[in-house]
């Protein structure tokens, strides 16, 4: 469907199931939304479908969107590594901005602006003190840049637009260690971030963290009809990616989640875990967690590290603790074996 003719998933929730059938037809019922036929009245005469957690999406394992979300969950880009004469590690990365349609739900495409063809972009990873070179090529249709959070010279701050067809190399030393992010910083910022130009950027401490199963999660949203309100919310770019196909972990295994919020058009996003608590390290800097909890909030650009282990076998749900975000795609399961 074209951007002009796409039907808002938010509209479907507002109209309820009867309106959904009238507006979107059986296409959405069969292929997109695990919502029920029951509705309840809300303020401003809006009606929202109640989410039935037993009704989930069907088999999405063959969709490109699910494959991308699953790959981004555990894949880290350490760059091309070279040892310099002074003993310092040099890491070089190639980053290409390109326009690309991204599947964000079963059968639904989003006309994105991407780094290396995915939303979110690759998770770049290094160690504090490494020399980093990001060779940026803009093959998109608009000026773009890469702004890295962290400490670096102002001329490497990524606020200068790189025109289509042009190149630029960002070079700086990786510091400080912790959980960072990167994103395009070309005006209008809301447009460039919402369209998909962002990702996680992890700087590991020189003394490695204790072993764990490490997972990468970027919270984001997608506005299909360009009205400034998101119609889908996801982790790693695909709605309900880990509902029917949970993230499998082992009982008592330490799980480390690198979590960030790059959602546009909403003030905050959140992460809630069922039937368990986790420790939370804001920006991944402190040796001591700031919270032992089951829910945290992040504004746009905020990030942190969650560490958790599961004492019992079974399925543990996780989702945004804003009901609309959860119903529009931001929920999944851990399956403990």
């Amino acid at each position: 469907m074209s951007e002009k003719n796409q039907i808002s998933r938010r509209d479907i929730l507002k109209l309820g199931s009867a309106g959904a059938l009238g507006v979107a037809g059986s296409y959405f019922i069969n292929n997109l939304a695990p919502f029920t036929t029951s509705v309840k009245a809300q303020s401003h005469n809006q009606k929202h479908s109640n989410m039935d957690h037993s009704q989930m999406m069907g088999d999405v394992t063959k969709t490109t969107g699910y494959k991308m979300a699953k790959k981004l969950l555990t894949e880290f880009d350490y760059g091309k590594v070279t040892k310099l004469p002074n003993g310092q590690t040099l890491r070089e990365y190639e980053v290409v901005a390109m326009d690309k349609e991204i599947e964000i739900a079963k059968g639904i495409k989003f006309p994105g602006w991407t780094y290396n063809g995915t939303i979110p972009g690759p998770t770049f990873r290094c160690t504090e003190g490494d020399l980093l070179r990001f060779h940026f090529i803009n093959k998109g249709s608009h000026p773009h840049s890469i702004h890295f959070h962290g400490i670096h010279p102002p001329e490497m701050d990524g606020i200068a637009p790189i025109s289509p067809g042009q190149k630029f190399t960002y070079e700086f030393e990786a510091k400080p260690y912790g959980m960072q992010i990167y994103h395009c910083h070309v005006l209008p910022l809301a447009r460039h971030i919402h369209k998909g130009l962002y990702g996680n950027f992890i700087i590991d401490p020189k003394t490695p963290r204790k072993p764990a199963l490490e997972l990468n999660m970027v919270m984001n949203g997608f506005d299909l009809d360009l009205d400034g309100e998101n119609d889908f919310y996801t982790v790693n770019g695909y709605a309900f990616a880990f509902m029917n196909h949970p993230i499998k972990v082992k009982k008592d295994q330490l799980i480390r989640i690198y979590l960030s919020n790059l959602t546009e058009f909403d003030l905050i996003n959140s992460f809630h875990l069922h039937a368990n608590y986790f420790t939370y390290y804001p920006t991944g800097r402190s040796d001591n967690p700031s919270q032992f909890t089951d829910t945290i909030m992040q504004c746009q650009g905020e990030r942190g590290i969650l560490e958790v282990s599961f004492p019992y076998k079974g399925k543990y749900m996780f989702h945004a603790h804003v009901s609309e975000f959860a119903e529009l795609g931001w929920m999944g399961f851990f399956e403990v074996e």
Side-chain angles (χ1 to χ4, degrees):
M1 292 185 293
S2 67
E3 280 189 27
K4 182 177 180 181
N5 295 324
Q6 283 173 339
I7 299 167
S8 166
R9 173 71 167 90
R10 183 185 292 261
D11 290 339
I12 294 174
L13 283 180
K14 289 178 180 178
L15 290 166
S17 59
L21 285 168
V23 175
S26 61
Y27 174 84
F28 282 100
I29 298 294
N30 294 329
N31 295 297
L32 184 60
F35 57 87
T36 70
T37 56
S38 60
V39 296
K40 62 179 180 179
Q42 301 290 330
S43 60
H44 308 295
N45 296 318
Q46 295 177 351
K47 293 183 179 180
H48 293 256
S49 301
N50 292 329
M51 173 64 72
D52 181 346
H53 291 160
S54 68
Q55 296 188 31
M56 305 174 191
M57 292 185 66
D59 184 11
V60 299
T61 57
K62 296 182 180 179
T63 63
T64 58
Y66 170 78
K67 290 177 181 178
M68 180 181 71
K70 184 179 179 182
K71 183 178 181 181
L72 289 169
L73 187 68
T74 56
E75 185 174 276
F76 303 94
D77 186 349
Y78 289 88
K80 181 182 177 181
V81 179
T82 305
K83 274 292 183 182
L84 298 175
N86 64 359
Q88 187 178 30
T89 297
L90 168 65
R91 296 183 188 272
E92 297 187 79
Y93 308 82
E94 183 173 283
V95 190
V96 180
M98 63 182 77
D99 301 355
K100 185 178 178 181
E101 271 198 337
I102 300 294
E103 186 176 32
I104 62 170
K106 194 173 182 181
I108 300 298
K109 301 287 184 69
F110 176 76
W113 297 344
T114 74
Y115 291 123
N116 290 3
T118 65
I119 300 176
T123 301
F124 300 121
R125 194 161 185 177
C126 58
T127 300
E128 187 176 35
D130 292 347
L131 180 63
L132 309 181
R133 288 179 188 158
F134 291 90
H135 302 291
F136 178 56
I137 306 169
N138 186 2
K139 293 185 178 180
S141 56
H142 296 76
H144 296 306
S145 70
I146 311 177
H147 165 63
F148 295 92
H149 286 217
I151 300 173
H152 45 251
E155 60 268 24
M156 294 295 146
D157 200 34
I159 58 175
I162 308 302
S163 299
Q166 299 300 305
K167 303 178 181 179
F168 185 82
T169 296
Y170 300 94
E171 180 174 324
F172 53 91
E173 188 173 285
K175 61 182 178 181
Y177 79 83
M179 176 68 187
Q180 313 294 351
I181 58 169
Y182 66 94
H183 57 85
C184 184
H185 212 289
V186 173
L187 298 175
L189 292 176
R191 179 72 165 165
H192 285 251
I193 292 177
H194 162 253
K195 290 283 278 185
L197 292 169
Y198 49 77
N200 281 349
F201 170 41
I202 301 168
I203 302 178
D204 290 318
K206 292 181 180 180
T207 300
R209 303 180 193 274
K210 54 187 175 182
L213 173 63
E214 296 192 317
L215 303 174
N216 177 74
M217 293 188 181
V218 178
M219 300 187 290
N220 57 0
F222 295 95
D223 173 17
L224 294 178
D225 54 6
L226 305 181
D227 66 350
E229 293 186 338
N230 290 312
D231 304 301
F232 288 89
Y233 296 88
T234 81
V235 159
N236 292 357
Y238 192 80
F240 303 108
F242 307 109
M243 287 288 284
N244 267 359
H245 304 279
I247 301 168
K248 294 188 177 183
V249 301
K250 295 180 180 179
K251 180 177 176 293
D252 298 322
Q253 179 182 28
L254 179 63
I255 313 300
R256 181 174 298 124
I257 301 171
Y258 296 92
L259 180 75
S260 66
N261 177 27
L262 273 302
T263 309
E264 193 57 77
F265 307 131
D266 292 282
L267 293 177
I268 61 170
N269 208 329
S270 57
F271 180 101
H272 169 57
L273 177 63
H274 282 210
N276 204 357
Y277 265 44
F278 55 81
T279 53
Y280 182 60
Y281 304 82
T283 323
R285 286 287 304 164
S286 173
D287 292 332
N288 298 311
S290 68
Q291 298 179 62
F292 182 58
T293 182
D294 62 5
T295 305
I296 58 101
M297 297 185 299
Q298 293 181 341
C299 67
Q300 189 194 80
E302 194 170 357
R303 65 275 185 196
I305 295 176
L306 288 65
E307 290 189 346
V308 63
S309 60
F310 295 91
Y312 307 107
K313 294 180 181 179
K315 288 185 178 180
Y316 294 74
M317 176 171 275
F318 62 93
H319 59 83
H321 217 303
V322 175
S323 298
E324 185 183 29
F325 292 16
E327 292 178 359
L328 292 174
W330 180 174
M331 63 166 60
F333 281 104
F334 292 105
E335 184 170 358
V336 181
E337 300 174 330

